[in-house]
Amino acid sequence: VVARALGWACWKTYLGRPEADAVRCDAMTALGNALCESRPKEALPVLEVYLALCRRYWSHSEGVILSAQTNLSSCLHGLGRHDEALVLKRVIYDRVV
């Protein structure tokens, strides 16, 4: 509950910043990860948008992309969408190894 409240507080605080602002994106990650714990259905669109932003603005930073994909994969797993999570985990594994 506390993590979710902090995630929402971060998001509300930094929402007004430009889309590519790193602090705004960190707030989106905090919200997505907090929601993933107890409300994965609500977290999914947040994490999908974050991954899209990472691909758009930080496509050169493989670590950022991998982190966003890992978070999304965990959320998909939490929703019982194991096949989709596995596909994403394989993509992550291929890029790491």
Side-chain angles (χ1 to χ4, degrees):
V1 176
V2 174
R4 197 169 56 230
L6 288 173
W8 278 114
C10 287
W11 177 243
K12 288 178 183 179
T13 301
Y14 299 113
L15 175 62
R17 290 187 177 209
E19 186 177 67
D21 183 85
V23 175
R24 180 184 189 265
C25 289
D26 288 344
M28 185 181 290
T29 302
L31 174 60
N33 289 337
L35 287 171
C36 193
E37 293 295 318
S38 60
R39 297 181 178 183
K41 209 176 225 181
E42 294 175 25
L44 186 61
V46 174
L47 295 173
E48 288 173 333
V49 167
Y50 178 66
L51 177 57
L53 286 174
C54 290
R55 287 179 173 152
R56 184 178 312 135
Y57 295 111
W58 296 285
S59 59
H60 59 280
S61 180
E62 190 167 23
V64 171
I65 301 289
L66 290 172
S67 176
Q69 289 175 319
T70 300
N71 292 340
L72 181 57
S73 176
S74 295
C75 185
L76 288 168
H77 181 76
L79 286 168
R81 295 166 63 174
H82 304 292
D83 292 340
E84 293 171 80
L86 182 59
V87 168
L88 200 47
K89 290 267 187 199
R90 287 180 175 155
V91 169
I92 295 163
Y93 180 80
D94 285 344
R95 291 177 81 183
V96 172
V97 174

